[in-house]
Amino acid sequence: EFRRVLFRSNLAVMFWLDWHLTLISLVVVPLILWFQKYSVKVWPLFRRRQELQASLNVVIQENVAGIKLVKAYGREEFEADRFNAVNEEVRSVALQSWRVFGVTGPGQEFATYLSAIIIITVGGLRVMEGHLTIGDLSAFYAYVLTMFAPVRFLVFINQMALNALASGERIFEILDTPLDVMDRPGAVRLEHVSGSVTMDNVSFAYGKGAPLLRDISIDVPPGKTLALVGPSGSGKTTLVNLIPRFYDPTTGTVQIDGHDVRDIQVEALRAQMGMVMQETFLFNASIRENIAYGRADASMEEIEAAARAANAHPFISEMPNGYDTEIGERGTRLSGGQRQRLAIARAILVDPRILILDEATSSVDNQTDYLIRQALDSLMEGRTTIVIAHRLSTVQRAHQIAVMEAGRITARGTHAELLRSSPLYAHLADIQFQLATEASASAGPATPVAQR
């Protein structure tokens, strides 16, 4: 607004000094406006550059995270070429955008200086003709420079604004994405639950795709354990993800203590749960901080007690700095079994009423499996537990086992009952028994194995 008033006041004084010279000096205005309009062409280039920059960041992240895999397969040259290809696209689009500003920036400078040349030339002639004094010409020239000074910097302001808009549009795409899971109006906050889990005719599909779960009905009483078994892709992980509301069922209801989980505040719901997943995620922090992640106010005694219950204290004690040892990004300085035991200690410290175990021992050796199962026994005691596992040694002691195939529960019962009634379960048991027998024969007498 101030600039607009200044422009108008300068223009008024210029007309008062010499209206002929004012009209002549304004002949460059259409040229300036054309350069301004031309500079808008850079907008799609800025947006494209942001998209390509995101792709470049993905390539860098993947190469850093998977550096061992890249080296193991000798794909350094391939990954370098992949990086260079995306980087070259970023460079190409950046050069295109700078070419646009290479025209508009100097173009506007040229237009303003052209106006100055016209004023000095025509103004000099009018001074010689006696229509204008040298003082008036000097004042007129000063007013013109004051009026056009903001225009000279407008191209740079325009560049920053368009760049910010392109970046902001990418950010707001994420911020404006509607949440799939959120609290309903009037959602209740459950402070304490007994831990019963019920699913009533639950079906689920991602978006408009084919259903992954069909008509699932289960009932897990408080303190009991339900084991889910079945081939990969049968929907076991998808099913347990409905309990903490990572997704909501397409049809049917999931209930905790008789309350539909959609009627419970999400934060309060998840506070009642602990999860130990197959892919354990640890932060680039100390062991103590990782164990206490779910309870930042936990005392050192509580943290150590949780570690002891998870069979993690012995190896932690051997670390250079004990519980203050930094474990690296994603816990890279620890073995798979050690990471799993820290995850179990983290869950024990939270003291959840409902426990979800998803393939917690699938990728460890028998000895580590035995240690982790001991830790899990401590964790599962007195808690409602839903466990997913391929190793029958983990599930055969469950109060109830459900066999899943193609998104449905096709059989349920105890280990002994399913061996008689479910061909699929019997087949899985045979495979596990053979694998356990072979492992025991090759390793010698060491670790207890599951008995068929």
Side-chain angles (χ1 to χ4, degrees), residues 34-68:
W34 182 86
F35 280 121
Q36 285 293 324
K37 184 177 180 180
Y38 182 77
S39 68
V40 178
K41 289 186 176 182
V42 81
W43 158 255
L45 295 176
F46 274 144
R47 196 179 191 288
R48 177 60 178 161
R49 189 172 72 180
Q50 291 294 334
E51 293 173 349
L52 290 172
Q53 189 65 50
S55 300
L56 185 63
N57 291 337
V58 169
V59 173
I60 295 172
Q61 189 274 332
E62 287 180 344
N63 278 277
V64 172
I67 186 65
K68 290 184 179 179

PDB file of all heavy atoms in Angstrom, residues 34-68:
ATOM      1  N   TRP A  34       5.542  -6.989 -19.510  1.00  0.00           N
ATOM      2  CA  TRP A  34       5.724  -8.225 -20.276  1.00  0.00           C
ATOM      3  C   TRP A  34       6.751  -9.125 -19.606  1.00  0.00           C
ATOM      4  O   TRP A  34       6.547 -10.338 -19.510  1.00  0.00           O
ATOM      5  CB  TRP A  34       6.189  -7.906 -21.696  1.00  0.00           C
ATOM      6  CG  TRP A  34       6.342  -9.150 -22.542  1.00  0.00           C
ATOM      7  CD1 TRP A  34       5.384  -9.790 -23.255  1.00  0.00           C
ATOM      8  CD2 TRP A  34       7.557  -9.912 -22.719  1.00  0.00           C
ATOM      9  NE1 TRP A  34       5.903 -10.911 -23.875  1.00  0.00           N
ATOM     10  CE2 TRP A  34       7.234 -11.008 -23.558  1.00  0.00           C
ATOM     11  CE3 TRP A  34       8.860  -9.777 -22.248  1.00  0.00           C
ATOM     12  CZ2 TRP A  34       8.173 -11.951 -23.945  1.00  0.00           C
ATOM     13  CZ3 TRP A  34       9.790 -10.723 -22.623  1.00  0.00           C
ATOM     14  CH2 TRP A  34       9.454 -11.797 -23.469  1.00  0.00           C
ATOM     15  N   PHE A  35       7.844  -8.540 -19.121  1.00  0.00           N
ATOM     16  CA  PHE A  35       8.857  -9.335 -18.427  1.00  0.00           C
ATOM     17  C   PHE A  35       8.286  -9.945 -17.147  1.00  0.00           C
ATOM     18  O   PHE A  35       8.621 -11.085 -16.784  1.00  0.00           O
ATOM     19  CB  PHE A  35      10.075  -8.469 -18.097  1.00  0.00           C
ATOM     20  CG  PHE A  35      11.000  -8.264 -19.275  1.00  0.00           C
ATOM     21  CD1 PHE A  35      11.281  -6.995 -19.749  1.00  0.00           C
ATOM     22  CD2 PHE A  35      11.586  -9.351 -19.908  1.00  0.00           C
ATOM     23  CE1 PHE A  35      12.130  -6.808 -20.828  1.00  0.00           C
ATOM     24  CE2 PHE A  35      12.441  -9.168 -20.986  1.00  0.00           C
ATOM     25  CZ  PHE A  35      12.705  -7.888 -21.458  1.00  0.00           C
ATOM     26  N   GLN A  36       7.417  -9.185 -16.447  1.00  0.00           N
ATOM     27  CA  GLN A  36       6.798  -9.725 -15.244  1.00  0.00           C
ATOM     28  C   GLN A  36       5.919 -10.935 -15.576  1.00  0.00           C
ATOM     29  O   GLN A  36       5.948 -11.953 -14.890  1.00  0.00           O
ATOM     30  CB  GLN A  36       5.951  -8.644 -14.560  1.00  0.00           C
ATOM     31  CG  GLN A  36       6.749  -7.590 -13.834  1.00  0.00           C
ATOM     32  CD  GLN A  36       7.476  -8.160 -12.631  1.00  0.00           C
ATOM     33  OE1 GLN A  36       6.960  -9.034 -11.944  1.00  0.00           O
ATOM     34  NE2 GLN A  36       8.672  -7.669 -12.372  1.00  0.00           N
ATOM     35  N   LYS A  37       5.141 -10.813 -16.648  1.00  0.00           N
ATOM     36  CA  LYS A  37       4.274 -11.915 -17.060  1.00  0.00           C
ATOM     37  C   LYS A  37       5.097 -13.104 -17.513  1.00  0.00           C
ATOM     38  O   LYS A  37       4.752 -14.267 -17.232  1.00  0.00           O
ATOM     39  CB  LYS A  37       3.346 -11.439 -18.179  1.00  0.00           C
ATOM     40  CG  LYS A  37       2.335 -12.488 -18.605  1.00  0.00           C
ATOM     41  CD  LYS A  37       1.394 -11.941 -19.673  1.00  0.00           C
ATOM     42  CE  LYS A  37       0.375 -12.998 -20.095  1.00  0.00           C
ATOM     43  NZ  LYS A  37      -0.546 -12.494 -21.139  1.00  0.00           N
ATOM     44  N   TYR A  38       6.195 -12.857 -18.181  1.00  0.00           N
ATOM     45  CA  TYR A  38       7.050 -13.946 -18.665  1.00  0.00           C
ATOM     46  C   TYR A  38       7.682 -14.711 -17.508  1.00  0.00           C
ATOM     47  O   TYR A  38       7.877 -15.931 -17.581  1.00  0.00           O
ATOM     48  CB  TYR A  38       8.144 -13.364 -19.570  1.00  0.00           C
ATOM     49  CG  TYR A  38       9.059 -14.405 -20.179  1.00  0.00           C
ATOM     50  CD1 TYR A  38       8.640 -15.178 -21.258  1.00  0.00           C
ATOM     51  CD2 TYR A  38      10.337 -14.619 -19.664  1.00  0.00           C
ATOM     52  CE1 TYR A  38       9.470 -16.137 -21.815  1.00  0.00           C
ATOM     53  CE2 TYR A  38      11.175 -15.569 -20.219  1.00  0.00           C
ATOM     54  CZ  TYR A  38      10.739 -16.329 -21.294  1.00  0.00           C
ATOM     55  OH  TYR A  38      11.558 -17.277 -21.840  1.00  0.00           O
ATOM     56  N   SER A  39       7.995 -14.015 -16.409  1.00  0.00           N
ATOM     57  CA  SER A  39       8.647 -14.659 -15.271  1.00  0.00           C
ATOM     58  C   SER A  39       7.754 -15.706 -14.611  1.00  0.00           C
ATOM     59  O   SER A  39       8.249 -16.620 -13.943  1.00  0.00           O
ATOM     60  CB  SER A  39       9.069 -13.619 -14.230  1.00  0.00           C
ATOM     61  OG  SER A  39       7.934 -13.038 -13.605  1.00  0.00           O
ATOM     62  N   VAL A  40       6.417 -15.603 -14.802  1.00  0.00           N
ATOM     63  CA  VAL A  40       5.500 -16.569 -14.193  1.00  0.00           C
ATOM     64  C   VAL A  40       5.690 -17.957 -14.808  1.00  0.00           C
ATOM     65  O   VAL A  40       5.318 -18.977 -14.203  1.00  0.00           O
ATOM     66  CB  VAL A  40       4.043 -16.086 -14.343  1.00  0.00           C
ATOM     67  CG1 VAL A  40       3.054 -17.084 -13.760  1.00  0.00           C
ATOM     68  CG2 VAL A  40       3.868 -14.741 -13.650  1.00  0.00           C
ATOM     69  N   LYS A  41       6.301 -18.034 -15.992  1.00  0.00           N
ATOM     70  CA  LYS A  41       6.543 -19.324 -16.629  1.00  0.00           C
ATOM     71  C   LYS A  41       7.451 -20.225 -15.786  1.00  0.00           C
ATOM     72  O   LYS A  41       7.515 -21.429 -16.013  1.00  0.00           O
ATOM     73  CB  LYS A  41       7.174 -19.124 -18.002  1.00  0.00           C
ATOM     74  CG  LYS A  41       6.227 -18.543 -19.048  1.00  0.00           C
ATOM     75  CD  LYS A  41       6.891 -18.505 -20.413  1.00  0.00           C
ATOM     76  CE  LYS A  41       5.921 -18.025 -21.480  1.00  0.00           C
ATOM     77  NZ  LYS A  41       6.542 -18.016 -22.824  1.00  0.00           N
ATOM     78  N   VAL A  42       8.155 -19.615 -14.839  1.00  0.00           N
ATOM     79  CA  VAL A  42       9.082 -20.408 -14.027  1.00  0.00           C
ATOM     80  C   VAL A  42       8.354 -21.238 -12.980  1.00  0.00           C
ATOM     81  O   VAL A  42       8.929 -22.166 -12.401  1.00  0.00           O
ATOM     82  CB  VAL A  42      10.108 -19.474 -13.348  1.00  0.00           C
ATOM     83  CG1 VAL A  42       9.533 -18.828 -12.092  1.00  0.00           C
ATOM     84  CG2 VAL A  42      11.394 -20.218 -13.021  1.00  0.00           C
ATOM     85  N   TRP A  43       7.068 -20.930 -12.712  1.00  0.00           N
ATOM     86  CA  TRP A  43       6.323 -21.625 -11.658  1.00  0.00           C
ATOM     87  C   TRP A  43       6.292 -23.143 -11.854  1.00  0.00           C
ATOM     88  O   TRP A  43       6.667 -23.886 -10.950  1.00  0.00           O
ATOM     89  CB  TRP A  43       4.923 -21.039 -11.556  1.00  0.00           C
ATOM     90  CG  TRP A  43       3.904 -21.930 -10.920  1.00  0.00           C
ATOM     91  CD1 TRP A  43       2.915 -22.616 -11.533  1.00  0.00           C
ATOM     92  CD2 TRP A  43       3.797 -22.255  -9.533  1.00  0.00           C
ATOM     93  NE1 TRP A  43       2.174 -23.343 -10.634  1.00  0.00           N
ATOM     94  CE2 TRP A  43       2.705 -23.132  -9.397  1.00  0.00           C
ATOM     95  CE3 TRP A  43       4.511 -21.887  -8.403  1.00  0.00           C
ATOM     96  CZ2 TRP A  43       2.318 -23.654  -8.175  1.00  0.00           C
ATOM     97  CZ3 TRP A  43       4.125 -22.406  -7.183  1.00  0.00           C
ATOM     98  CH2 TRP A  43       3.037 -23.264  -7.069  1.00  0.00           C
ATOM     99  N   PRO A  44       5.861 -23.671 -13.031  1.00  0.00           N
ATOM    100  CA  PRO A  44       5.863 -25.137 -13.181  1.00  0.00           C
ATOM    101  C   PRO A  44       7.263 -25.736 -13.117  1.00  0.00           C
ATOM    102  O   PRO A  44       7.434 -26.886 -12.701  1.00  0.00           O
ATOM    103  CB  PRO A  44       5.222 -25.358 -14.555  1.00  0.00           C
ATOM    104  CG  PRO A  44       5.347 -24.062 -15.262  1.00  0.00           C
ATOM    105  CD  PRO A  44       5.305 -22.999 -14.215  1.00  0.00           C
ATOM    106  N   LEU A  45       8.279 -24.955 -13.489  1.00  0.00           N
ATOM    107  CA  LEU A  45       9.650 -25.456 -13.396  1.00  0.00           C
ATOM    108  C   LEU A  45      10.074 -25.613 -11.941  1.00  0.00           C
ATOM    109  O   LEU A  45      10.721 -26.595 -11.570  1.00  0.00           O
ATOM    110  CB  LEU A  45      10.609 -24.510 -14.132  1.00  0.00           C
ATOM    111  CG  LEU A  45      10.408 -24.397 -15.644  1.00  0.00           C
ATOM    112  CD1 LEU A  45      11.340 -23.356 -16.231  1.00  0.00           C
ATOM    113  CD2 LEU A  45      10.640 -25.754 -16.308  1.00  0.00           C
ATOM    114  N   PHE A  46       9.714 -24.644 -11.106  1.00  0.00           N
ATOM    115  CA  PHE A  46      10.020 -24.742  -9.682  1.00  0.00           C
ATOM    116  C   PHE A  46       9.335 -25.960  -9.073  1.00  0.00           C
ATOM    117  O   PHE A  46       9.913 -26.681  -8.259  1.00  0.00           O
ATOM    118  CB  PHE A  46       9.584 -23.483  -8.949  1.00  0.00           C
ATOM    119  CG  PHE A  46      10.617 -22.378  -8.971  1.00  0.00           C
ATOM    120  CD1 PHE A  46      10.240 -21.057  -9.060  1.00  0.00           C
ATOM    121  CD2 PHE A  46      11.967 -22.671  -8.883  1.00  0.00           C
ATOM    122  CE1 PHE A  46      11.186 -20.049  -9.077  1.00  0.00           C
ATOM    123  CE2 PHE A  46      12.913 -21.671  -8.901  1.00  0.00           C
ATOM    124  CZ  PHE A  46      12.524 -20.359  -8.997  1.00  0.00           C
ATOM    125  N   ARG A  47       8.067 -26.160  -9.461  1.00  0.00           N
ATOM    126  CA  ARG A  47       7.331 -27.289  -8.897  1.00  0.00           C
ATOM    127  C   ARG A  47       7.946 -28.617  -9.347  1.00  0.00           C
ATOM    128  O   ARG A  47       8.097 -29.551  -8.547  1.00  0.00           O
ATOM    129  CB  ARG A  47       5.865 -27.227  -9.330  1.00  0.00           C
ATOM    130  CG  ARG A  47       4.972 -28.127  -8.482  1.00  0.00           C
ATOM    131  CD  ARG A  47       3.520 -28.050  -8.905  1.00  0.00           C
ATOM    132  NE  ARG A  47       2.676 -28.702  -7.926  1.00  0.00           N
ATOM    133  CZ  ARG A  47       2.599 -30.010  -7.732  1.00  0.00           C
ATOM    134  NH1 ARG A  47       3.350 -30.817  -8.448  1.00  0.00           N
ATOM    135  NH2 ARG A  47       1.804 -30.525  -6.818  1.00  0.00           N
ATOM    136  N   ARG A  48       8.321 -28.707 -10.596  1.00  0.00           N
ATOM    137  CA  ARG A  48       8.955 -29.921 -11.109  1.00  0.00           C
ATOM    138  C   ARG A  48      10.289 -30.163 -10.409  1.00  0.00           C
ATOM    139  O   ARG A  48      10.642 -31.299 -10.097  1.00  0.00           O
ATOM    140  CB  ARG A  48       9.161 -29.788 -12.628  1.00  0.00           C
ATOM    141  CG  ARG A  48       9.881 -30.960 -13.277  1.00  0.00           C
ATOM    142  CD  ARG A  48       9.133 -32.250 -13.079  1.00  0.00           C
ATOM    143  NE  ARG A  48       9.803 -33.368 -13.734  1.00  0.00           N
ATOM    144  CZ  ARG A  48       9.590 -34.635 -13.438  1.00  0.00           C
ATOM    145  NH1 ARG A  48       8.718 -34.959 -12.482  1.00  0.00           N
ATOM    146  NH2 ARG A  48      10.236 -35.590 -14.076  1.00  0.00           N
ATOM    147  N   ARG A  49      11.019 -29.081 -10.143  1.00  0.00           N
ATOM    148  CA  ARG A  49      12.310 -29.236  -9.472  1.00  0.00           C
ATOM    149  C   ARG A  49      12.129 -29.783  -8.060  1.00  0.00           C
ATOM    150  O   ARG A  49      12.924 -30.604  -7.597  1.00  0.00           O
ATOM    151  CB  ARG A  49      13.043 -27.889  -9.426  1.00  0.00           C
ATOM    152  CG  ARG A  49      14.485 -28.020  -8.939  1.00  0.00           C
ATOM    153  CD  ARG A  49      15.248 -26.741  -9.079  1.00  0.00           C
ATOM    154  NE  ARG A  49      14.811 -25.741  -8.111  1.00  0.00           N
ATOM    155  CZ  ARG A  49      15.328 -24.520  -8.012  1.00  0.00           C
ATOM    156  NH1 ARG A  49      16.279 -24.138  -8.848  1.00  0.00           N
ATOM    157  NH2 ARG A  49      14.887 -23.664  -7.112  1.00  0.00           N
ATOM    158  N   GLN A  50      11.073 -29.342  -7.365  1.00  0.00           N
ATOM    159  CA  GLN A  50      10.809 -29.857  -6.025  1.00  0.00           C
ATOM    160  C   GLN A  50      10.493 -31.355  -6.071  1.00  0.00           C
ATOM    161  O   GLN A  50      10.939 -32.119  -5.216  1.00  0.00           O
ATOM    162  CB  GLN A  50       9.644 -29.092  -5.391  1.00  0.00           C
ATOM    163  CG  GLN A  50       9.952 -27.638  -5.056  1.00  0.00           C
ATOM    164  CD  GLN A  50      10.993 -27.503  -3.963  1.00  0.00           C
ATOM    165  OE1 GLN A  50      11.143 -28.390  -3.135  1.00  0.00           O
ATOM    166  NE2 GLN A  50      11.714 -26.406  -3.962  1.00  0.00           N
ATOM    167  N   GLU A  51       9.716 -31.773  -7.077  1.00  0.00           N
ATOM    168  CA  GLU A  51       9.381 -33.192  -7.206  1.00  0.00           C
ATOM    169  C   GLU A  51      10.625 -34.028  -7.479  1.00  0.00           C
ATOM    170  O   GLU A  51      10.818 -35.100  -6.895  1.00  0.00           O
ATOM    171  CB  GLU A  51       8.361 -33.382  -8.340  1.00  0.00           C
ATOM    172  CG  GLU A  51       6.999 -32.759  -8.049  1.00  0.00           C
ATOM    173  CD  GLU A  51       6.080 -32.809  -9.259  1.00  0.00           C
ATOM    174  OE1 GLU A  51       6.584 -33.144 -10.362  1.00  0.00           O
ATOM    175  OE2 GLU A  51       4.887 -32.488  -9.108  1.00  0.00           O
ATOM    176  N   LEU A  52      11.479 -33.522  -8.373  1.00  0.00           N
ATOM    177  CA  LEU A  52      12.705 -34.255  -8.693  1.00  0.00           C
ATOM    178  C   LEU A  52      13.659 -34.275  -7.502  1.00  0.00           C
ATOM    179  O   LEU A  52      14.358 -35.274  -7.277  1.00  0.00           O
ATOM    180  CB  LEU A  52      13.389 -33.617  -9.905  1.00  0.00           C
ATOM    181  CG  LEU A  52      12.674 -33.806 -11.247  1.00  0.00           C
ATOM    182  CD1 LEU A  52      13.331 -32.966 -12.326  1.00  0.00           C
ATOM    183  CD2 LEU A  52      12.685 -35.280 -11.651  1.00  0.00           C
ATOM    184  N   GLN A  53      13.685 -33.189  -6.734  1.00  0.00           N
ATOM    185  CA  GLN A  53      14.545 -33.153  -5.559  1.00  0.00           C
ATOM    186  C   GLN A  53      14.106 -34.200  -4.540  1.00  0.00           C
ATOM    187  O   GLN A  53      14.940 -34.838  -3.887  1.00  0.00           O
ATOM    188  CB  GLN A  53      14.499 -31.759  -4.926  1.00  0.00           C
ATOM    189  CG  GLN A  53      15.521 -31.541  -3.815  1.00  0.00           C
ATOM    190  CD  GLN A  53      16.950 -31.589  -4.326  1.00  0.00           C
ATOM    191  OE1 GLN A  53      17.292 -30.918  -5.302  1.00  0.00           O
ATOM    192  NE2 GLN A  53      17.784 -32.391  -3.684  1.00  0.00           N
ATOM    193  N   ALA A  54      12.782 -34.378  -4.426  1.00  0.00           N
ATOM    194  CA  ALA A  54      12.269 -35.421  -3.528  1.00  0.00           C
ATOM    195  C   ALA A  54      12.717 -36.805  -4.009  1.00  0.00           C
ATOM    196  O   ALA A  54      13.124 -37.655  -3.196  1.00  0.00           O
ATOM    197  CB  ALA A  54      10.746 -35.347  -3.456  1.00  0.00           C
ATOM    198  N   SER A  55      12.653 -37.044  -5.314  1.00  0.00           N
ATOM    199  CA  SER A  55      13.106 -38.328  -5.860  1.00  0.00           C
ATOM    200  C   SER A  55      14.596 -38.529  -5.618  1.00  0.00           C
ATOM    201  O   SER A  55      15.045 -39.636  -5.299  1.00  0.00           O
ATOM    202  CB  SER A  55      12.817 -38.392  -7.364  1.00  0.00           C
ATOM    203  OG  SER A  55      11.432 -38.268  -7.624  1.00  0.00           O
ATOM    204  N   LEU A  56      15.372 -37.461  -5.756  1.00  0.00           N
ATOM    205  CA  LEU A  56      16.811 -37.547  -5.513  1.00  0.00           C
ATOM    206  C   LEU A  56      17.098 -37.885  -4.053  1.00  0.00           C
ATOM    207  O   LEU A  56      17.982 -38.702  -3.753  1.00  0.00           O
ATOM    208  CB  LEU A  56      17.481 -36.225  -5.889  1.00  0.00           C
ATOM    209  CG  LEU A  56      19.004 -36.177  -5.807  1.00  0.00           C
ATOM    210  CD1 LEU A  56      19.621 -37.152  -6.799  1.00  0.00           C
ATOM    211  CD2 LEU A  56      19.513 -34.762  -6.065  1.00  0.00           C
ATOM    212  N   ASN A  57      16.338 -37.286  -3.139  1.00  0.00           N
ATOM    213  CA  ASN A  57      16.527 -37.581  -1.714  1.00  0.00           C
ATOM    214  C   ASN A  57      16.207 -39.046  -1.401  1.00  0.00           C
ATOM    215  O   ASN A  57      16.855 -39.663  -0.550  1.00  0.00           O
ATOM    216  CB  ASN A  57      15.647 -36.665  -0.865  1.00  0.00           C
ATOM    217  CG  ASN A  57      16.114 -35.227  -0.907  1.00  0.00           C
ATOM    218  OD1 ASN A  57      17.277 -34.942  -1.199  1.00  0.00           O
ATOM    219  ND2 ASN A  57      15.219 -34.298  -0.622  1.00  0.00           N
ATOM    220  N   VAL A  58      15.191 -39.599  -2.099  1.00  0.00           N
ATOM    221  CA  VAL A  58      14.849 -41.007  -1.901  1.00  0.00           C
ATOM    222  C   VAL A  58      16.010 -41.898  -2.339  1.00  0.00           C
ATOM    223  O   VAL A  58      16.372 -42.864  -1.651  1.00  0.00           O
ATOM    224  CB  VAL A  58      13.568 -41.367  -2.671  1.00  0.00           C
ATOM    225  CG1 VAL A  58      13.357 -42.879  -2.697  1.00  0.00           C
ATOM    226  CG2 VAL A  58      12.363 -40.686  -2.046  1.00  0.00           C
ATOM    227  N   VAL A  59      16.604 -41.580  -3.484  1.00  0.00           N
ATOM    228  CA  VAL A  59      17.736 -42.373  -3.982  1.00  0.00           C
ATOM    229  C   VAL A  59      18.892 -42.327  -2.988  1.00  0.00           C
ATOM    230  O   VAL A  59      19.511 -43.352  -2.672  1.00  0.00           O
ATOM    231  CB  VAL A  59      18.188 -41.857  -5.363  1.00  0.00           C
ATOM    232  CG1 VAL A  59      19.478 -42.558  -5.800  1.00  0.00           C
ATOM    233  CG2 VAL A  59      17.092 -42.093  -6.395  1.00  0.00           C
ATOM    234  N   ILE A  60      19.181 -41.135  -2.472  1.00  0.00           N
ATOM    235  CA  ILE A  60      20.278 -40.990  -1.509  1.00  0.00           C
ATOM    236  C   ILE A  60      19.982 -41.791  -0.249  1.00  0.00           C
ATOM    237  O   ILE A  60      20.844 -42.520   0.268  1.00  0.00           O
ATOM    238  CB  ILE A  60      20.490 -39.497  -1.169  1.00  0.00           C
ATOM    239  CG1 ILE A  60      20.970 -38.734  -2.408  1.00  0.00           C
ATOM    240  CG2 ILE A  60      21.500 -39.346  -0.034  1.00  0.00           C
ATOM    241  CD1 ILE A  60      21.028 -37.236  -2.217  1.00  0.00           C
ATOM    242  N   GLN A  61      18.745 -41.663   0.264  1.00  0.00           N
ATOM    243  CA  GLN A  61      18.382 -42.376   1.500  1.00  0.00           C
ATOM    244  C   GLN A  61      18.486 -43.884   1.315  1.00  0.00           C
ATOM    245  O   GLN A  61      19.007 -44.593   2.188  1.00  0.00           O
ATOM    246  CB  GLN A  61      16.965 -41.979   1.920  1.00  0.00           C
ATOM    247  CG  GLN A  61      16.528 -42.471   3.292  1.00  0.00           C
ATOM    248  CD  GLN A  61      15.959 -43.866   3.261  1.00  0.00           C
ATOM    249  OE1 GLN A  61      15.412 -44.284   2.243  1.00  0.00           O
ATOM    250  NE2 GLN A  61      16.081 -44.588   4.366  1.00  0.00           N
ATOM    251  N   GLU A  62      17.998 -44.382   0.183  1.00  0.00           N
ATOM    252  CA  GLU A  62      18.048 -45.824  -0.068  1.00  0.00           C
ATOM    253  C   GLU A  62      19.487 -46.317  -0.166  1.00  0.00           C
ATOM    254  O   GLU A  62      19.816 -47.393   0.350  1.00  0.00           O
ATOM    255  CB  GLU A  62      17.295 -46.155  -1.355  1.00  0.00           C
ATOM    256  CG  GLU A  62      15.785 -46.055  -1.237  1.00  0.00           C
ATOM    257  CD  GLU A  62      15.079 -46.386  -2.526  1.00  0.00           C
ATOM    258  OE1 GLU A  62      15.742 -46.403  -3.590  1.00  0.00           O
ATOM    259  OE2 GLU A  62      13.861 -46.627  -2.487  1.00  0.00           O
ATOM    260  N   ASN A  63      20.334 -45.537  -0.810  1.00  0.00           N
ATOM    261  CA  ASN A  63      21.724 -45.967  -0.971  1.00  0.00           C
ATOM    262  C   ASN A  63      22.480 -45.947   0.341  1.00  0.00           C
ATOM    263  O   ASN A  63      23.321 -46.820   0.598  1.00  0.00           O
ATOM    264  CB  ASN A  63      22.433 -45.083  -2.001  1.00  0.00           C
ATOM    265  CG  ASN A  63      22.162 -45.516  -3.422  1.00  0.00           C
ATOM    266  OD1 ASN A  63      22.810 -46.417  -3.939  1.00  0.00           O
ATOM    267  ND2 ASN A  63      21.184 -44.898  -4.058  1.00  0.00           N
ATOM    268  N   VAL A  64      22.187 -44.967   1.191  1.00  0.00           N
ATOM    269  CA  VAL A  64      22.854 -44.914   2.496  1.00  0.00           C
ATOM    270  C   VAL A  64      22.352 -46.044   3.392  1.00  0.00           C
ATOM    271  O   VAL A  64      23.142 -46.742   4.038  1.00  0.00           O
ATOM    272  CB  VAL A  64      22.622 -43.543   3.164  1.00  0.00           C
ATOM    273  CG1 VAL A  64      23.142 -43.551   4.602  1.00  0.00           C
ATOM    274  CG2 VAL A  64      23.310 -42.443   2.375  1.00  0.00           C
ATOM    275  N   ALA A  65      21.014 -46.248   3.418  1.00  0.00           N
ATOM    276  CA  ALA A  65      20.446 -47.292   4.273  1.00  0.00           C
ATOM    277  C   ALA A  65      20.824 -48.688   3.794  1.00  0.00           C
ATOM    278  O   ALA A  65      21.011 -49.601   4.606  1.00  0.00           O
ATOM    279  CB  ALA A  65      18.924 -47.148   4.331  1.00  0.00           C
ATOM    280  N   GLY A  66      20.943 -48.856   2.480  1.00  0.00           N
ATOM    281  CA  GLY A  66      21.239 -50.189   1.941  1.00  0.00           C
ATOM    282  C   GLY A  66      22.648 -50.334   1.422  1.00  0.00           C
ATOM    283  O   GLY A  66      22.886 -51.112   0.492  1.00  0.00           O
ATOM    284  N   ILE A  67      23.594 -49.598   2.031  1.00  0.00           N
ATOM    285  CA  ILE A  67      24.963 -49.599   1.519  1.00  0.00           C
ATOM    286  C   ILE A  67      25.591 -50.999   1.539  1.00  0.00           C
ATOM    287  O   ILE A  67      26.326 -51.379   0.629  1.00  0.00           O
ATOM    288  CB  ILE A  67      25.836 -48.598   2.320  1.00  0.00           C
ATOM    289  CG1 ILE A  67      27.228 -48.482   1.710  1.00  0.00           C
ATOM    290  CG2 ILE A  67      25.884 -48.973   3.791  1.00  0.00           C
ATOM    291  CD1 ILE A  67      27.230 -47.880   0.329  1.00  0.00           C
ATOM    292  N   LYS A  68      25.276 -51.798   2.566  1.00  0.00           N
ATOM    293  CA  LYS A  68      25.838 -53.149   2.630  1.00  0.00           C
ATOM    294  C   LYS A  68      25.308 -54.013   1.496  1.00  0.00           C
ATOM    295  O   LYS A  68      26.052 -54.803   0.893  1.00  0.00           O
ATOM    296  CB  LYS A  68      25.515 -53.790   3.978  1.00  0.00           C
ATOM    297  CG  LYS A  68      26.263 -53.168   5.155  1.00  0.00           C
ATOM    298  CD  LYS A  68      25.957 -53.915   6.443  1.00  0.00           C
ATOM    299  CE  LYS A  68      26.721 -53.317   7.618  1.00  0.00           C
ATOM    300  NZ  LYS A  68      26.415 -54.018   8.895  1.00  0.00           N
TER     301      LYS A  68
END
